[in-house]
Amino acid sequence: VSVTANYLHKAKAKDFSLYNIGEPKDTRAAAPVKDELKALGSSARYVRIPIGKNTLDPIIISSQKVVDLVYDPKSGKLFHTVWASDFRPWQDRDRSKPYITPKSGMLPPKLARIMVNLALGTNPNQTVLDPFCGTGTVLMEALLMGASVVGSDISPDHVEGTQINIGWLKARHSNLKDSIVITSDAVHLSKQISTQVDVVVTEPFLGPPNPGRAAATNIAKGLDKLYLGALKDWSKFLKPGAKVVMVFPHFKFGKNSVPTGRFIDRRENLGYNLVRQDLFFTRFKEGITRQIVILEKN
Ligand SMILES: C[S@@+](CC[C@H](N)C(=O)[O-])C[C@H]1O[C@@H](n2cnc3c(N)ncnc32)[C@H](O)[C@@H]1O
């Protein structure tokens, strides 16, 4: 109790939360700590975990600056939450951007950001291309990381939508770099690309939503043909060592799934080296798993 009270006093806590690990509803530790704090001249308030929740809302921790403490009786250690993710800007980019098309798939901005980071590494000073840009999710995350972006899509509506979304983002963030968005088939993009591209980050066309099991194998074959054609075309303008971070869908049917991208194993013909293919992203109830594959132009 004294260690906790002293810690809170030193931290100049105005609000604090305190519970034993795994017992967010047990508030017994709060009263003696508050008494000690009072003796130290502090009137910090105790913030309870809301009913039905296991932790404080991250927004309360970050915006109200609550000192959120968790005690582990087994080890005798006291833990302080030092950072909590503010999900609101992520949710905003996911749901409140002006152009949204549920039909063309919904790449979560956090996954787009992960893919951008895998491609850029520690150098944001690069140009990111998304040749299947859809609503511009990848391009927006790349811009926020400080990259320049080039986007293209076969659908003029999506090209216009991406431009509108990027305009929306630029109105909210100053100093974002340049963006170009054009209409093009990803398989013939080399004919239109005049800007230097450093990396490709893309979630390509995933086929019709929820294909039946019977159709899935043929759909996967068709998609592989598209992906192979596109990768071959991009190798015409990518520099040696340029990274491609790309989603390959696997269609899920219970415990089984129909994958795409099997051709990657014949990569000696592809013009790319395989960097990794061990990252998978699955969302509850969604009919596809996204495999994130990283290739490098050889
Ligand atoms: C799954 S969506 C990408 C969604 C995007 N990641 C987003 O978050 O909005 C695939 C996109 O590929 C486009 N597309 C389909 N076939 C294409 C092709 N051959 N070349 C270029 N774009 C294509 C579709 O118009 C669609 O916008």
Side-chain angles (χ1 to χ4, degrees), residues 180-217:
I180 303 170
V181 192
I182 57 169
T183 307
S184 173
D185 186 333
V187 176
H188 302 295
L189 190 54
S190 62
K191 290 187 189 136
Q192 291 203 57
I193 284 283
S194 51
T195 350
Q196 185 211 306
V197 168
D198 300 304
V199 295
V200 174
V201 179
T202 193
E203 176 193 53
F205 179 53
L206 306 173
N210 306 316
R213 200 188 189 114
T217 309

Side-chain angles (χ1 to χ4, degrees), residues 104-105 107 130-138 153-155 158 184-187 203-206 226:
S104 81
L107 180 69
D130 181 353
F132 295 91
C133 69
T135 59
T137 313
V138 165
D153 199 285
I154 203 163
S155 147
H158 289 184
S184 173
D185 186 333
V187 176
E203 176 193 53
F205 179 53
L206 306 173
L226 171 68

Side-chain angles (χ1 to χ4, degrees), residues 223-291:
L223 290 176
D224 273 349
K225 208 172 153 200
L226 171 68
Y227 303 160
L228 193 57
L231 281 163
K232 280 195 173 152
D233 184 66
W234 307 338
S235 75
K236 292 179 190 161
F237 56 78
L238 290 177
K239 286 186 293 187
K243 280 209 173 88
V244 174
V245 180
M246 181 163 166
V247 164
F248 285 84
H250 293 219
F251 303 105
K252 286 192 296 181
F253 301 102
K255 280 188 182 155
N256 301 319
S257 69
V258 176
T260 59
R262 290 304 88 193
F263 64 84
I264 291 165
D265 294 331
R266 290 180 274 111
R267 58 190 171 275
E268 64 275 11
N269 303 325
L270 198 62
Y272 295 87
N273 298 318
L274 178 64
V275 179
R276 63 190 290 186
Q277 56 176 347
D278 58 332
L279 303 167
F280 291 85
F281 180 89
T282 312
R283 258 196 310 202
F284 185 57
K285 279 190 175 166
E286 228 176 26
I288 64 162
T289 289
R290 290 170 169 90
Q291 181 179 14

